[in-house]
Amino acid sequence: MPQPQIVWLRRDLRLADQAAFHAAARLGPVIPVYILDDETPAERRMGGASRWYLHQALSALEIELDHHELRLILRRGRADEVLGALVEETGAAGVHALRHYEPWWREAEERLAGKVDLTLHDGLYLLPPGSVVTGGGTPFKIFTPFMRALFAEIGEEEPLPVPDFSRPAKWPKSDRLEDLALLPTAPDWAEGMRQAWTAGSAAAQERFDSFLEVIDDYREDRELPSIDGSSRLSPQLHFGEVSPRQLWAQVAHNPGRGAGFFRAELAWRDYAANLVAQFPRYTEEPYRPGYDHRLWRDPLTDEEAAADLKAWQQGRTGYPIVDAGMRQLWQTGWMHNRVRMIAASFLVKHLLIDWRHGEEWFWDTLVDADHASNGTNWQWVSGTGVDSNMFVRIMAPLSQSEKFDAGDYIRHYVPELASLADPYVHDPEEAGCRPAAYPRKVIGHREARERALAAYRAISR
Ligand SMILES: Cc1cc2nc3c(=O)[nH]c(=O)nc-3n(C[C@H](O)[C@H](O)[C@H](O)COP(=O)(O)OP(=O)(O)OC[C@H]3O[C@@H](n4cnc5c(N)ncnc54)[C@H](O)[C@@H]3O)c2cc1C
């Protein structure tokens, strides 16, 4: 009997279109392994909402593997050390994994390569980050030319099927999923998430099938938070329960405009990973020079700024669209993309708080918290990234709320405002009908705008 092969799983929790499983299964019996590695830098340790989702995803994967008479071996510890020990214990000939791009995973891959026979495969993105480059061979900085080049290169390769597996004669011991302690206990804050999400590849496909029925309206409906108009597959894509290639292939023959726009969103995901591959500190510090501490009010030293940050986190800013978004995030672990932009812009420009505080909050509370996508989008909203400087453009949350027809969305997530009709629900304070239970605005729009522009002028001098 050939020696077994270990498949090291991280954000690639699926059997189909999973090149590591595919390659390992050809060579011998397969031992799938997930290691909860909390040795990553403290600020990059997986957040609470992601841990909750991960529990569901691993549970779904265990069931799927069981259909193939395979077990999922769960362990905790530093991934390279645990894998090194597992190779010895099982006599595995090698380890197969999908290549990851987070700095801590790159380091773990490097450390592991010196210890075991490690084979890395592509498959996290439509194309490997760093591979889509300009005619001159340099990486792209700006999205649209990047997307065009990606579309030109991607080709029609079909996603890989689920391979035929063989099993090892003896399985190594595994921790129980409960031992990973991924779920909240006291208090259990996950009820809203349980209602919102079903993890696993099968659920992802089911979700995508229903999205395909409305994809023709995607271009318009994805902007409307009251409508279920986008795929809502970001956690499944983040944890790799479905691959971007699988989604790409399923819309490739759809001639509608919606499909084109959906492919562009998948390209944003690749773009974010490319930016971080190109600028490894992109998620940690402003790309543009000059956006230093002088611009921001610091919640660590300034009590008012600390109170404003808290009001933002709790959805109590007095701006209904912002509050609805922040409460949706807290309850379900997800926020509508348009509202993410409004809420992020509000933190940075209205409250003049460094985007990294927002990035950190999203990192802890999003079920789709993604190192590259989160950091890149925060820099984009803040105007501190590779795009043109957008600091001077300040999003008006109240008119955005009306424009994107957020009345029902607000009424759903901000129960204090449930009885207000449009248009009052967008700005009850201005309309003179703010219920006592709903907070006043933490700052007026005009005042905030002037303060932000003044601060910006001061650092630009
Ligand atoms: C401040 C801010 C922070 C964000 N943080 C994250 C994050 O941590 N993780 C994350 O997956 N997305 C993040 N996004 C991007 C976007 O909001 C979500 O991907 C999207 O809302 C997910 O919903 P969906 O699956 O219905 O998207 P759809 O509209 O159905 O799009 C399909 C997929 O494309 C990808 N995608 C769409 N928009 C973007 C984008 N702007 N950037 C990168 N990928 C995109 C996602 O994987 C998404 O699931 C952030 C956006 C903002 C403004």
Side-chain angles (χ1 to χ4, degrees):
M1 189 170 193
Q3 285 171 280
Q5 304 283 334
I6 287 177
V7 173
W8 174 28
L9 297 162
R10 286 170 286 175
R11 298 200 294 101
D12 41 20
L13 306 177
R14 62 178 180 272
L15 301 188
D17 202 35
Q18 220 284 22
F21 267 127
H22 211 77
R26 279 187 182 183
L27 296 171
V30 167
I31 303 178
V33 174
Y34 184 89
I35 301 158
L36 182 66
D37 182 347
D38 276 332
E39 306 280 323
T40 43
E43 67 280 9
R44 287 298 166 211
R45 210 158 285 156
M46 201 183 294
S50 294
R51 282 175 191 266
W52 175 84
Y53 192 91
L54 175 64
H55 181 103
Q56 321 305 317
L58 292 174
S59 171
L61 184 64
E62 278 182 333
I63 294 169
E64 205 185 338
L65 286 168
D66 190 52
H67 292 150
H68 297 270
E69 293 167 43
L70 291 172
R71 294 186 197 167
L72 179 60
I73 305 304
L74 299 171
R75 294 275 171 104
R76 283 163 292 175
R78 221 175 83 167
D80 56 313
E81 288 172 1
V82 175
L83 280 166
L86 262 172
V87 165
E88 273 198 21
E89 184 185 333
T90 57
V95 175
H96 292 263
L98 291 199
R99 192 185 308 277
H100 283 51
Y101 296 86
E102 290 88 341
W104 57 92
W105 284 137
R106 286 180 161 208
E107 282 168 26
E109 287 166 5
E110 274 166 28
R111 286 197 302 266
L112 191 63
K115 286 185 184 160
V116 302
D117 185 359
L118 173 68
T119 312
L120 293 169
H121 306 266
D122 295 320
L124 238 50
Y125 295 97
L126 289 169
L127 287 175
S131 67
V132 179
V133 289
T134 63
T138 53
F140 287 97
K141 279 193 195 166
I142 303 303
F143 174 69
T144 305
F146 167 83
M147 179 186 73
R148 287 203 191 106
L150 175 83
F151 283 12
E153 277 181 39
I154 189 162
E156 295 293 323
E157 207 180 301
E158 284 296 315
L160 297 166
V162 177
D164 288 329
F165 291 110
S166 59
R167 292 105 210 135
K170 187 166 175 257
W171 287 97
K173 271 210 197 99
S174 170
D175 287 346
R176 292 171 315 146
L177 183 50
E178 296 70 40
D179 298 333
L180 304 190
L182 295 166
L183 298 179
T185 48
D188 171 10
W189 39 254
E191 180 50 29
M193 295 190 196
R194 283 191 283 276
Q195 283 178 24
W197 303 105
T198 309
S201 301
Q205 185 57 51
E206 232 173 79
R207 171 72 208 163
F208 196 58
D209 288 342
S210 45
F211 171 67
L212 286 175
E213 287 171 20
V214 296
I215 195 171
D216 286 346
D217 301 323
Y218 175 70
R219 185 185 179 188
E220 295 76 25
D221 286 359
R222 78 197 168 106
E223 294 286 8
L224 308 177
S226 301
I227 286 184
D228 198 7
S230 65
S231 73
R232 299 204 181 205
L233 282 171
S234 47
Q236 286 89 345
L237 279 162
H238 171 74
F239 284 101
E241 297 173 301
V242 65
S243 78
R245 271 279 178 174
Q246 288 174 304
L247 303 184
W248 178 275
Q250 290 182 64
V251 298
H253 306 297
N254 185 323
R257 282 189 323 163
F261 276 86
F262 182 72
R263 282 197 291 265
E265 294 308 317
L266 292 178
W268 270 104
R269 185 175 172 274
D270 269 48
Y271 170 67
N274 273 266
L275 273 184
V276 177
Q278 194 183 157
F279 307 111
R281 299 210 41 84
Y282 201 74
T283 59
E284 316 297 332
E285 55 197 37
Y287 172 81
R288 284 175 167 263
Y291 285 85
D292 55 28
H293 59 276
R294 286 174 303 149
L295 180 61
W296 313 113
R297 297 158 68 225
D298 184 356
L300 299 177
T301 54
D302 172 345
E303 271 180 32
E304 247 182 56
D308 285 353
L309 176 61
K310 199 163 190 191
W312 179 80
Q313 290 170 339
Q314 295 181 339
R316 297 189 58 77
T317 65
Y319 284 77
I321 181 75
V322 175
D323 294 341
M326 297 308 291
R327 295 187 199 189
Q328 179 182 34
L329 174 61
W330 184 250
Q331 283 172 35
T332 68
W334 187 88
M335 197 197 301
H336 186 274
N337 180 57
R338 167 60 52 183
V339 191
R340 286 188 206 205
M341 289 196 266
I342 298 170
S345 168
F346 187 84
L347 180 77
V348 174
K349 295 173 189 170
H350 283 68
L351 301 184
L352 216 53
I353 290 176
D354 192 329
W355 58 270
R356 285 168 287 192
H357 290 284
E359 196 269 352
E360 200 180 312
W361 183 253
F362 274 27
W363 179 256
D364 193 32
T365 52
L366 279 170
V367 286
D368 63 26
D370 183 272
H371 179 244
S373 295
N374 200 27
T376 302
N377 277 286
W378 272 98
Q379 290 245 34
W380 183 83
V381 170
S382 308
T384 54
V386 291
D387 314 82
S388 58
N389 166 26
M390 296 184 295
F391 203 89
V392 282
R393 225 184 297 144
I394 295 178
M395 223 178 221
L398 304 169
S399 36
Q400 288 274 312
S401 182
E402 285 189 46
K403 180 171 174 199
F404 295 107
D405 201 11
D408 286 340
Y409 177 74
I410 293 168
R411 281 184 284 272
H412 181 77
Y413 284 105
V414 187
E416 304 97 289
L417 304 180
S419 62
L420 294 187
D422 290 353
Y424 312 110
V425 72
H426 300 290
D427 188 357
E429 190 172 320
E430 180 68 16
C433 56
R434 178 182 65 81
Y438 185 66
R440 287 181 200 287
K441 289 177 190 155
V442 285
I443 186 168
H445 173 61
R446 190 170 302 166
E447 189 192 335
R449 192 170 181 281
E450 281 163 13
R451 179 174 70 178
L453 290 176
Y456 179 65
R457 274 193 298 272
I459 65 151
S460 311
R461 265 187 220 121

